[in-house]
């Protein structure tokens, strides 16, 4: 134990300090401390700083036993779990009071000097917190309450998230037939789009061909108009050169009539071709309008397809994220089950060790009592039985050594238990970090 960090108090000082907290303590109780008395006084010191007492620990113990599904053995584990939790809080309190080697023996098997030293440390620490650390302790308590509220809120949020995940799963299962229908519709639209595109290509080629034919006919029409103009000029020049011979005029008229008839037939043919071309142009304009509407429909279908693909990708990402979260949750559950199983095994081992130690201790006590009675009976014959008394003393010493060995084994088991408890705290902190939660060890 670290000495010199806190002043050592006398028995009257300790009595007065405890009387100030409403605890009536006698000189005899401090000189010969018992386990019940020491536990009561230590709990009073702990309550002065942390407001934790045995009543406050009763509900967590019951909750832990209920959560462990050991209803048939609750009475067997309740006392041990209560003692372990009390030792844990008193150990933390002792470390805060600069007592690094506090253990269960200080409660259940107290010694006079050590009890007085521990009470000096505890009382000085309580006075120090009352004088200098009220604001700090109040702030810590407020922060602890806020963290507890935040933990409850996070638990509620976790429950809401799990419920929302279930709703999303149900929604995904509900939308799956619709997705299948949309996939089949998408496939049909894609096939229709490809067929429409092929038809559009053929129609565009036909339009280009008709445009080329139209341009050729327009050029031919212009050439015919030019030729007609040149013929008219030639007719005009011919009229100016006409000889007044009737025969020649008749021949010229006959020739010109034939030429005019041929020209009229040619013009009629050209006009018929022009009408056919105009009809074809009108048909091409209608086809072009249909092609434009098809293109617009294709663009709309492509937009819907892209939107459907984006929705499918988001659905796949959400499904992958949900699967990942489910895998993490299953892993954490498995780890928690393993740790709970290890903790349960440690509790069983500790219980067996405590029962074994108690049995050894009771057997040793009965042996010591028997030896004491025999020693008292043989006190009159001590001179004649010194050798026998020495043998009995040796046996008593051997039993005491056996008892110390049992206590050493119990301490090793307690050390193993606290190691496992520390690993459990580390696991809970790791679990809290993975779930983005903040927890505090009470």
């Amino acid at each position: 134990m670290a000495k010199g960090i806190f002043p050592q108090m006398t028995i009257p000082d300790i009595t007065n300090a405890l009387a100030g907290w409403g605890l009536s303590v006698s000189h005899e109780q401090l000189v010969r401390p018992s386990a019940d008395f020491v536990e009561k006084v230590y709990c009073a010191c702990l309550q002065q700083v942390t407001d934790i007492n045995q009543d406050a620990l009763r509900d967590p113990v019951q909750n832990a036993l209920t959560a462990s599904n050991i209803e048939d053995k609750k009475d067997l584990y309740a006392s041990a779990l209560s003692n372990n939790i009390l030792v844990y809080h008193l150990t933390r309190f002792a470390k805060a009071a600069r007592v690094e080697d506090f253990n269960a023996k200080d409660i259940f098997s107290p010694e006079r000097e050590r009890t007085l030293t521990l009470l000096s440390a505890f009382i000085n620490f309580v006075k120090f917190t009352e004088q200098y650390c009220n604001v700090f302790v109040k702030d810590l308590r407020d922060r602890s309450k806020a963290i507890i509220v935040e933990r409850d809120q996070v638990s509620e949020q976790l429950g809401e998230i799990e419920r929302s995940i279930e709703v999303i799963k149900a929604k995904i299962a509900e939308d799956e037939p619709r997705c299948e229908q949309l996939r089949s519709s998408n496939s049909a639209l894609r096939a229709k789009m490809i067929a429409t595109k092929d038809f559009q290509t053929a129609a565009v080629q036909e339009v280009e061909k008709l445009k080329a034919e139209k341009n050729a006919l327009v050029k031919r029409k212009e050439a015919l108009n030019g030729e007609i103009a040149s013929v008219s000029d030639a007719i005009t020049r011919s009229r100016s050169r006409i000889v007044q011979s009737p025969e020649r005029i008749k021949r010229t008229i006959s020739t010109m009539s034939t030429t005019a008839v041929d020209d009229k037939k040619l013009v009629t043919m050209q006009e018929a071709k022009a009408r056919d071309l105009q009809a074809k142009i009108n048909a091409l304009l209608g086809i072009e309008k249909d092609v434009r509407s098809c293109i617009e429909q294709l663009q709309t279908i492509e937009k819907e397809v892209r939107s459907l693909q984006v929705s499918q990708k988001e659905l796949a990402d959400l499904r992958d994220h949900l699967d990942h979260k489910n895998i993490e949750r299953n892993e954490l559950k498995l780890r928690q089950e393993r740790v709970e199983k290890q903790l349960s095994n440690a509790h069983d081992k500790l219980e067996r060790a405590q029962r074994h130690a108690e049995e050894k201790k009771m057997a040793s006590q009965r042996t010591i009592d028997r030896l004491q009675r025999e020693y008292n009976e043989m006190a009159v014959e001590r001179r004649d039985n010194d050798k026998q008394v020495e043998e009995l003393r040796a046996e008593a010493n051997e039993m005491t050594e056996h008892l110390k060995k049992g206590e050493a084994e119990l301490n090793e088991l307690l050390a193993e238990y606290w190691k496992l408890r520390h690993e459990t705290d580390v696991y809970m902190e790791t679990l809290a970090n993975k779930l983005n939660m903040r927890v505090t060890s009470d």
Side-chain angles (χ1 to χ4, degrees), residues 153-245:
Q153 292 176 354
V154 170
S155 299
E156 293 177 358
Q157 292 177 0
L158 179 61
E160 292 177 358
I161 291 172
E162 290 178 349
R163 289 191 293 272
S164 64
I165 289 173
E166 295 297 331
V167 172
I168 291 172
K169 287 182 179 178
K171 182 66 175 175
I172 290 172
E174 183 181 355
D175 293 342
E176 188 64 27
R178 178 63 177 168
C179 290
E180 292 294 333
Q181 184 179 0
L182 290 175
R183 290 191 191 99
S184 61
S185 177
N186 184 23
S187 301
L189 289 174
R190 186 179 291 107
K192 186 177 179 181
M193 180 180 66
I194 294 172
T196 306
K197 192 171 183 181
D198 294 337
F199 176 75
Q200 176 189 0
T201 304
V204 169
Q205 292 176 356
E206 184 69 21
V207 167
E208 293 295 332
K209 183 178 179 181
L210 291 175
K211 283 183 178 179
E213 187 176 352
K214 176 185 175 182
N215 293 329
L217 291 174
V218 168
K219 289 180 181 179
R220 187 175 179 184
K221 181 181 178 181
E222 290 176 354
L224 289 174
N225 289 331
E227 187 177 352
I228 290 170
S230 63
V231 169
S232 298
D233 292 338
I235 290 171
T236 303
R237 288 192 299 271
S238 297
R239 284 179 181 178
S240 63
R241 293 194 301 272
I242 291 175
V243 181
Q244 298 301 322
S245 175

Side-chain angles (χ1 to χ4, degrees), residues 316-375:
D317 294 339
L318 181 60
R319 187 175 297 167
D320 293 338
H321 183 67
L322 179 61
D323 293 337
H324 182 66
K325 289 296 182 182
N326 287 331
I327 291 171
E328 287 186 354
R329 185 181 65 179
N330 293 331
E331 290 178 353
L332 292 175
K333 283 184 178 179
L334 291 175
R335 291 181 182 177
Q336 184 178 4
E337 290 175 358
R338 287 197 296 270
V339 172
E340 289 178 353
K341 186 175 181 181
Q342 292 176 357
L343 182 61
S344 177
N345 293 332
H347 280 302
D348 295 339
K349 191 174 181 180
L350 179 61
E351 287 295 327
R352 290 194 299 270
Q354 288 179 345
R355 288 197 299 270
H356 186 63
E358 287 293 332
E359 291 174 357
K360 286 186 177 180
K361 185 176 180 180
M362 293 175 63
S364 300
Q365 187 65 37
R366 288 194 298 270
T367 303
I368 292 173
D369 293 339
R370 178 176 58 80
L371 293 175
Q372 186 67 35
R373 287 194 301 272
E374 291 178 358
Y375 177 80

